[in-house]
Amino acid sequence: MTPTPTATLVARDWAEIQERMLVPLYEAVYDRLEVGPGDRLLGLDCGSGLALLLAAGRGAAATGVEADPARRALARERLLEVVPAPPAGARPYDVLLAFSPSAAALGAALPAVRRGGAVVLADWGPAERCTVPAVLGGGPAPQDLDAAVSDAGLCPDGSGRVFCPFGYADVDSAVRGLLSTGLYESSSDAAQVEKELTEALHPYERPDGTVWLPNIFRYVIARVP
């Protein structure tokens, strides 16, 4: 499938503006798990692959799963191995990154993880500590990550919180970055969404024109029994 021009632009906004906002989360998880040479990592819904690049930079062998053709194409431009669905028959992975997955997506990917392998789930933290969902009205309520671990039959193995501020050069960049997350796709009136988002961002605009949106993300680590 060839991505549409619009889809390609949105994917580039994600890759060039938004994706880097989650680097503190990725790094905290990799530090906690001591990801390094010899580890095999599978990233579910990996976007344009920044999390994979960071893992590869630590010496891990990283593979991504991304259904969106435009984001998958950008990841492959980074010389990353990214596939549209979890690989079958491959040697089991040591780590599965499954940030905000559906139960079905998580269930489909778990067979690729070895027994004792780590599964990492993550989502927004407390509403009062997250500017984007609490103030800007983006996306559903955070998942109950502990319940997701239990429902998947996994063994809890710790959790943590990470400060992930979303910082942008200006309001236009903030709007483009936030729209690229897919949090606002439920509305059929794209122009109205952009207008409302621009207005909502003004209180977070600094005197120099930059935009600063503090957020906390929570992650949990579980093990495959």
Side-chain angles (χ1 to χ4, degrees):
M1 180 185 297
T2 301
T4 66
T6 298
T8 299
L9 288 174
V10 171
R12 288 205 174 275
D13 283 343
W14 169 263
E16 296 172 2
I17 299 174
Q18 191 63 34
E19 193 175 24
R20 61 185 173 82
M21 309 299 177
L22 298 178
V23 167
L25 175 61
Y26 301 148
E27 296 285 17
V29 167
Y30 293 162
D31 286 346
R32 180 78 173 260
L33 294 175
E34 298 182 341
V35 169
D39 290 327
R40 297 185 76 240
L41 180 144
L42 181 64
L44 192 61
D45 296 331
C46 70
S48 50
L50 182 55
L52 305 183
L53 280 176
L54 295 174
R58 291 170 175 250
T63 301
V65 177
E66 177 54 56
D68 179 70
R71 296 191 187 200
R72 193 165 66 243
L74 289 177
R76 287 174 173 170
E77 286 181 10
R78 291 169 161 172
L79 303 179
L80 295 169
E81 180 186 357
V82 179
V83 293
R91 184 168 69 85
Y93 289 87
D94 303 297
V95 179
L96 172 65
L97 297 182
F99 298 156
S100 303
S102 66
L106 179 59
L110 282 178
V113 186
R114 66 171 175 82
R115 291 185 63 181
V119 178
V120 184
L121 310 180
D123 209 333
W124 301 104
E128 68 274 11
R129 303 287 301 279
C130 294
T131 309
V132 172
V135 178
L136 303 182
Q143 289 189 57
D144 184 337
L145 299 177
D146 301 298
V149 166
S150 177
D151 291 345
L154 300 169
C155 303
D157 191 32
S159 64
R161 292 182 178 181
V162 183
F163 182 51
C164 287
F166 289 6
Y168 305 93
D170 50 40
V171 171
D172 178 66
S173 295
V175 170
R176 288 167 53 203
L178 290 169
L179 290 178
S180 76
T181 64
L183 294 174
Y184 305 91
E185 290 181 347
S186 58
S187 174
S188 59
D189 190 342
Q192 182 63 25
V193 169
E194 186 172 338
K195 178 178 181 294
E196 292 176 356
L197 190 53
T198 298
E199 292 172 352
L201 285 169
H202 282 309
Y204 301 92
E205 187 177 4
R206 293 176 163 184
D208 62 359
T210 58
V211 175
W212 186 254
L213 304 174
N215 297 290
I216 295 287
F217 278 76
R218 180 173 184 255
Y219 68 86
V220 300
I221 297 172
R223 299 283 173 175
V224 176

